[in-house]
Amino acid sequence: MKNHSISFIGGGNMAGSLIGGLIADGYAPNLLTVADVDGEKRTQLQERFGIRAAASNAEATRHSDILVIAVKPQMVEAVARELASEERDEPKQLVISIAAGIRTNSLAMWLGGKVPVVRAMPNTPALVQSGATVLYANEYVNVLQRETAESILRAVGLTQWVADETLMDAVTALSGSGPAYFFLIMEALEQAAGSLGLPPELARVLTIQTAFGAAKMALENTSGPEELRIQVTSPGGTTERALQVLREGNLCDLFRRALQAAHERSVELSKLLGKDSHA
Ligand SMILES: NC(=O)c1ccc[n+]([C@@H]2O[C@H](COP(=O)([O-])OP(=O)(O)OC[C@H]3O[C@@H](n4cnc5c(N)ncnc54)[C@H](OP(=O)(O)O)[C@@H]3O)[C@@H](O)[C@H]2O)c1
């Protein structure tokens, strides 16, 4: 599984974390290549990880088993059309796209047709190897390629598959945008603790460790967050009083509406980014 050559098109934040994760996972640096329009970024990654740097996307593509497209969504069409015009060693090479909102049918069409494409939706904690990535494979991806794609994204955290690509918009609303929801909750807790007189540094460290501890408990416990919440809520106690206020403020309904709004925006952006793919 760790003997495929992988080329990254785009050497930004996400590519950097994937490369770091793969090397930490035992991948040989000489199997990894990066291409980026920015020569400085290529050199930085080359020096940091001992990987190969290609002078152009075409060069990176030519001799690799797997291509990972890691440019911003607006750049994907141009990159894919450029790759489609290249003479590739292996026309059926697996293409993994981590670009938000780009559908597999758009990408396969830009790449020239019946191309095996895996679409991955990671989130920012991938930068610290604690990401949550959801994958979707088009009909041309075989079992081995699915396993390979999964093992690459597993290098930066948890992976899950969906069989229906339209669910990617809900995934974007939950785990894609989700880190920001938790950051906002942390900000709100810090501010509220400040108003109770806690010094800012103490409020911050307690907020972050509490979030981490709660997430760790939820991860390690099979009974789920609801059960954990009930366990820590003593009748007549402080937690119960606070939760009552959150309920009166309709917190659950607020999150339902927030995710709905993110979902709608994800659908809009996907349509916009793939608008010429049916031409
Ligand atoms: N960051 C996240 O947490 C996150 C989460 C989920 C999904 N994603 C997806 O991951 C992808 C990459 O995100 P990122 O944050 O890593 O972006 P990024 O840091 O901007 O990296 C993209 C890199 O690609 C380069 N590039 C632009 N056009 C190119 C071309 N034609 N050929 C080769 N390289 C080119 C950019 O160079 P210049 O800067 O010089 O243009 C930049 O170095 C995006 O599509 C995003 O939707 C990211």
Side-chain angles (χ1 to χ4, degrees):
M1 199 62 89
K2 290 182 177 137
N3 52 3
H4 299 285
S5 51
I6 309 174
S7 286
F8 291 83
I9 310 294
N13 293 319
M14 265 295 164
S17 0
L18 279 167
I19 292 165
L22 287 168
I23 289 173
D25 214 23
Y27 232 95
N30 64 4
L31 288 173
L32 306 178
T33 302
V34 64
D36 195 297
V37 282
D38 183 340
E40 211 170 297
K41 279 196 192 138
R42 287 198 305 263
T43 313
Q44 270 172 10
L45 286 173
Q46 186 180 29
E47 286 172 358
R48 184 166 160 212
F49 295 115
I51 62 170
R52 291 145 56 121
S56 67
N57 294 346
E59 187 193 319
T61 306
R62 234 166 266 144
H63 307 293
S64 64
D65 304 318
I66 299 161
L67 276 184
V68 179
I69 299 188
V71 296
K72 291 281 188 214
Q74 309 86 284
M75 298 307 302
V76 173
E77 180 175 357
V79 165
R81 289 192 189 277
E82 178 194 350
L83 298 178
S85 67
E86 281 303 314
E87 284 282 323
R88 285 188 267 161
D89 279 358
E90 173 50 88
K92 294 286 177 226
Q93 89 195 129
L94 172 66
V95 176
I96 302 172
S97 162
I98 61 167
I102 304 288
R103 293 180 181 144
T104 53
N105 64 351
S106 304
L107 185 52
M109 203 212 77
W110 297 330
L111 286 164
K114 299 176 177 176
V115 179
V117 173
V118 168
R119 174 178 169 190
M121 180 66 209
N123 62 4
T124 41
L127 304 175
V128 290
Q129 267 80 59
S130 299
T133 301
V134 174
L135 300 143
Y136 170 80
N138 74 359
E139 64 194 290
Y140 307 113
V141 175
N142 65 35
V143 174
L144 198 64
Q145 288 172 323
R146 273 175 77 100
E147 284 171 10
T148 307
E150 185 174 327
S151 72
I152 292 172
L153 273 305
R154 215 187 299 121
V156 289
L158 170 134
T159 52
Q160 295 281 308
W161 286 91
V162 287
D164 172 0
E165 189 171 5
T166 62
L167 290 177
M168 282 301 209
D169 295 307
V171 165
T172 304
L174 178 60
S175 54
S177 302
Y181 312 153
F182 287 100
F183 294 140
L184 180 65
I185 292 171
M186 288 191 229
E187 282 175 65
L189 288 175
E190 273 185 34
Q191 282 170 19
S195 71
L196 296 176
L198 279 189
E201 311 77 48
L202 183 58
R204 173 156 299 177
V205 79
L206 292 180
T207 298
I208 294 171
Q209 183 64 20
T210 304
F212 175 74
K216 197 161 191 281
M217 279 182 80
L219 268 174
E220 290 176 6
N221 196 298
T222 50
S223 47
E226 183 183 4
E227 185 59 36
L228 288 170
R229 175 178 53 74
I230 291 167
Q231 280 170 20
V232 297
T233 310
S234 317
T238 56
T239 311
E240 186 184 62
R241 189 75 71 86
L243 292 177
Q244 181 59 27
V245 173
L246 294 174
R247 253 186 226 108
E248 283 163 11
N250 275 332
L251 183 73
C252 292
D253 185 56
L254 207 53
F255 272 115
R256 193 189 54 72
R257 284 165 41 213
L259 262 71
Q260 187 72 42
H263 182 270
E264 277 166 25
R265 184 63 182 145
S266 177
V267 172
E268 275 169 25
L269 287 174
S270 279
K271 280 191 186 145
L272 209 65
L273 289 163
K275 66 182 185 316
D276 298 326
S277 63
H278 303 292

